[in-house]
Amino acid sequence: MERQLKYGLAAFAAVAGLVAVVASHGSHSVAPADRRAKAQEAVRVRLVQVDPNARHAIDYAALDARLQQMITRPAMVGMAVGVVENGRITFLKGYGDTIEGSGDKVTTDTVFRWASCSKGVAGTLVAKLAEQGKLSLDEPIADLGTSLRLPMAAERWATVTDLLSHRLGLYRNALDNKLEEGADPHALRGELGGLNPVCKPGTCWNYQNVAYDAASEIVIKKTGLSYDQAARQLLFNPIGMTSASTTMAGLESAKSWARPHSVGRRPLPMSDAYYRVPAAGGMNSNIRDMAMWMLAQMGEMPLVLDPKLLDTIHAPLVATPLERQHLRKFLERLHDPMYGLGWRSYDYEGHHIVGHRGGINGYRSLILFDPALKSGVVALWNSNTNQPGGLEFEVMDMLYKLPFRDWMELGHGGQSTDESDGNGDR
């Protein structure tokens, strides 16, 4: 708690000082919005730089050696990793290639897909609109004019919070198969109303993509902008995420972008299926911008994301016990899986951690951090293997000074058994 208070006061003092400095230089001629923007930019400029002086608990040489070993695994093509420690970016590096055999190296500027880590963006964006008074998170979904229909017309009482926490009473990944076959997501959201419910909304948890993207409709209706424009205006630009986008064009227009690959390193065709549900899976960026996103989620950009907003979206709202099956190799230390508004949370050896994972055909992603210590890790890679999953827990073990565990399974010659060509949160 003492350490948490120390870093929290430091962040507050830094922002307050920047606001005061800006205000003292022509406070009568500069509008409050301009002063706020200048203070925000000063924070961004400070945070975007890699700061080796903030390195304390993590052995970065050992981490880099592990990642260099990881990129030689049979299913790996390219990967980018970022670490934040003590509220500063302390490590950014790319490994491998953007395209198998091309020699085009992944750098910290290479753009990847976030897959289901996109859901944290949607949860944050909708909560931001609620903060502005444009909607209520307790409002029935039906009042917001989306295409979403639920069994037994439950959209009339299921709330925005139920939507963003996957508590809609639907079976897991409802109608994802039709989305991947090319069906229109708006029509599919209407079809959801004809399904058999598995529970009353708000009483059970089942992961969604088609239904979850009703969040993008809410954003569009409440801002009058496209989802991508709203995300840029309210989140990406203020945070300084210059490579971030939520469209396939945004990915493919990047100077360096990672192509998708199979477990066998075979290049895969690009698909727009999950770009058509951008709130569920449309996010792209380079690793630096993902690290900046994590800093903002840690509370290091309070002029963009207020601490109360972060408490709301990270709050553990619903237990997800079946997730323990996916995380079984980490259960020695990982407990109490929960879900909030686009964010997962856990107890890790007595520490509260927040994050998400993502998987779309040809891409994988992860973000995990300790909001109290303002430390965590982000990773993006462009193949269907889940093996780098475990990297986040190796970083956490260093952070908490726990005994080493080979969570990435690099200590043997075999391939990870946890691989998949599927989509969704992994």
Side-chain angles (χ1 to χ4, degrees), residues 284-305:
N284 318 299
S285 88
N286 62 30
I287 198 65
R288 185 184 301 272
D289 282 353
M290 198 178 197
M292 290 291 284
W293 172 247
M294 183 164 63
L295 280 166
Q297 292 291 328
M298 291 173 173
E300 288 299 288
M301 294 188 180
L303 295 177
V304 184
L305 298 181

Side-chain angles (χ1 to χ4, degrees), residues 61-376:
L63 176 64
D64 182 46
R66 296 279 289 167
L67 295 172
Q68 290 188 47
Q69 186 180 357
M70 171 58 71
I71 203 62
T72 67
R73 295 288 89 185
M76 293 297 295
V77 178
M79 174 176 60
V81 176
V83 176
V84 165
E85 194 177 352
N86 300 316
R88 296 301 302 270
I89 298 174
T90 48
F91 180 89
L92 292 173
K93 191 168 180 180
Y95 301 84
D97 296 339
T98 63
I99 307 173
E100 169 62 19
S102 68
D104 183 31
K105 297 302 180 183
V106 171
T107 73
T108 55
D109 292 323
T110 301
V111 176
F112 291 77
R113 297 191 69 176
W114 286 22
S116 283
C117 286
S118 305
K119 291 180 173 69
V121 176
T124 304
L125 191 51
V126 173
K128 185 82 171 173
L129 296 177
E131 178 186 59
Q132 295 173 349
K134 295 182 178 179
L135 58 92
S136 168
L137 295 175
D138 297 324
E139 195 170 352
I141 297 167
D143 292 355
L144 295 168
T146 76
S147 61
L148 180 61
R149 299 293 180 268
L150 297 174
M152 310 298 292
E155 69 274 6
R156 294 181 298 181
W157 63 83
T159 67
V160 176
T161 292
D162 292 329
L163 168 68
L164 296 175
S165 58
H166 301 289
R167 298 183 299 174
L168 295 176
L170 300 167
Y171 64 81
R172 182 179 175 88
N173 295 93
L175 302 188
D176 280 5
N177 59 323
K178 291 188 176 182
L179 176 72
E180 293 167 17
E181 291 167 0
D184 176 69
H186 297 83
L188 291 178
R189 280 194 283 276
E191 290 181 26
L192 292 171
L195 302 179
N196 293 322
V198 298
C199 70
K200 182 180 178 181
T203 64
C204 73
W205 184 90
N206 277 300
Y207 197 79
Q208 303 298 320
N209 286 307
V210 173
Y212 197 92
D213 190 58
S216 74
E217 293 186 73
I218 293 172
V219 170
I220 291 167
K221 287 180 181 294
K222 292 300 180 180
T223 64
L225 303 170
S226 71
Y227 184 78
D228 190 67
Q229 290 170 333
R232 289 175 186 271
Q233 185 178 110
L234 294 175
L235 297 177
F236 305 158
N237 292 344
I239 292 172
M241 299 169 64
T242 57
S243 71
S245 66
T246 64
T247 65
M248 188 156 72
L251 175 72
E252 295 181 339
S253 65
K255 185 176 179 180
S256 172
W257 64 281
R259 275 60 167 184
H261 293 78
S262 70
V263 172
R265 297 189 182 185
R266 176 175 55 85
L268 297 172
M270 283 292 297
S271 168
D272 73 344
Y274 287 88
Y275 283 117
R276 289 185 285 111
V277 287
M283 184 71 192
N284 318 299
S285 88
N286 62 30
I287 198 65
R288 185 184 301 272
D289 282 353
M290 198 178 197
M292 290 291 284
W293 172 247
M294 183 164 63
L295 280 166
Q297 292 291 328
M298 291 173 173
E300 288 299 288
M301 294 188 180
L303 295 177
V304 184
L305 298 181
D306 185 87
K308 291 182 179 178
L309 182 151
L310 296 176
D311 287 345
T312 297
I313 62 178
H314 297 160
L317 298 178
V318 56
T320 61
L322 293 179
E323 188 187 4
R324 291 173 61 84
Q325 297 176 10
H326 299 292
L327 299 172
R328 55 190 176 274
K329 69 181 180 181
F330 311 116
L331 294 182
E332 172 188 346
R333 293 175 178 163
L334 191 70
H335 312 283
D336 300 330
M338 303 286 289
Y339 207 93
L341 302 186
W343 289 96
R344 295 185 180 276
S345 62
Y346 312 90
D347 175 280
Y348 193 78
E349 287 293 286
H351 302 273
H352 175 68
I353 56 175
V354 176
H356 214 285
R357 298 176 306 282
I360 285 174
N361 197 16
Y363 297 93
R364 295 290 185 269
S365 63
L366 65 84
I367 177 172
L368 191 70
F369 61 93
D370 182 321
L373 298 184
K374 298 185 184 297
S375 301

